[in-house]
């Protein structure tokens, strides 16, 4: 919101600027089958922007899988930082390796698996935001540097969490 209580607009004198120091963002351990963790660096929770979005990282340990899903009202970009894995986007297979970029338009089904021997880590950019609400809803709060928990199940109400956040109806 701008100083008049209205959504931020390009007509406002300027937008926000923030610097997020390393290891100071919200982070959530993720349940099975993904395991690993997601970090939320920027979102409507900590910035005002004309176009709503969120950005963060996700780390998938060896053997971890982000289940097949889609987003009916969102667009997503992934940029792989480290590790290797397999992606399937709308039925097409692709490799994930450092410097690989994936654009996932609305209603494009996608899944990712770390089939390597080290963590697979990517930056995610999500418009119009909301992925942070899902990560929080299904995850457990994570502190930087703490050891990974014993793998844990998805919450019993995961379908309700998905419906309230950014996932297409399945």
């Amino acid at each position: 919101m701008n100083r008049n209580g209205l959504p931020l607009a390009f007509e406002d004198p300027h937008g926000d600027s923030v610097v997020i120091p390393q290891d100071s963002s919200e982070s959530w351990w993720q349940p099975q089958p993904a395991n690993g963790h997601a970090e939320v660096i920027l979102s409507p929770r900590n910035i005002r922007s004309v176009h709503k979005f969120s950005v963060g990282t996700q780390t998938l340990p060896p053997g971890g899988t982000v289940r097949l899903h889609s987003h009916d009202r969102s667009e997503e970009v992934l940029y792989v930082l480290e590790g290797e894995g397999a992606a399937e986007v709308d039925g097409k297979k692709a490799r994930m390796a450092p410097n690989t970029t994936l654009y996932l338009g609305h209603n494009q089904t996608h899944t990712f698996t770390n089939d390597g021997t080290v963590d697979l880590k990517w930056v995610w950019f999500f418009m119009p935001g909301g992925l942070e609400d899902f990560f929080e809803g299904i995850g457990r709060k994570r502190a930087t540097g703490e050891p990974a928990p014993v793998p844990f199940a998805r919450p019993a109400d995961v379908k309700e969490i998905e419906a309230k956040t950014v996932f297409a109806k399945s």
Side-chain angles (χ1 to χ4, degrees), residues 101-148:
T101 302
L102 292 85
Y103 169 73
L104 308 165
H106 71 286
N107 289 322
Q108 292 289 322
T109 59
H110 49 282
T111 182
F112 316 112
T113 299
N114 181 346
D115 59 8
T117 59
V118 299
D119 286 349
L120 173 61
K121 183 176 183 178
W122 61 82
V123 173
W124 51 267
F125 180 84
F126 202 80
M127 286 186 67
L131 196 53
E132 62 279 3
D133 299 326
F134 174 73
F135 287 140
E136 180 179 12
I138 68 162
R140 294 180 182 167
K141 190 77 170 156
R142 174 184 172 266
T144 301
E146 72 180 347

Side-chain angles (χ1 to χ4, degrees), residues 1-2 8 13-19 43-44 46-50:
M1 297 291 192
N2 66 16
L8 193 63
H14 56 77
D16 284 353
S17 293
V18 298
V19 174
S43 76
N46 64 350
I47 58 167
R48 298 173 315 138
S49 59
V50 175

Side-chain angles (χ1 to χ4, degrees), residues 48-120:
R48 298 173 315 138
S49 59
V50 175
H51 300 288
K52 291 180 88 174
F53 71 93
S54 54
V55 64
T57 64
Q58 186 160 2
T59 302
L60 206 60
T65 297
V66 174
R67 65 169 190 79
L68 184 68
H69 66 280
S70 65
H71 311 282
D72 56 351
R73 297 174 310 279
S74 305
E75 298 170 283
E76 187 172 13
V77 176
L78 306 180
Y79 180 78
V80 180
L81 298 172
E82 54 193 54
E84 293 197 14
E88 185 176 317
V89 179
D90 204 31
K92 297 177 186 82
K93 296 185 184 306
R95 291 299 300 160
M96 297 174 76
N99 302 313
T100 302
T101 302
L102 292 85
Y103 169 73
L104 308 165
H106 71 286
N107 289 322
Q108 292 289 322
T109 59
H110 49 282
T111 182
F112 316 112
T113 299
N114 181 346
D115 59 8
T117 59
V118 299
D119 286 349
L120 173 61

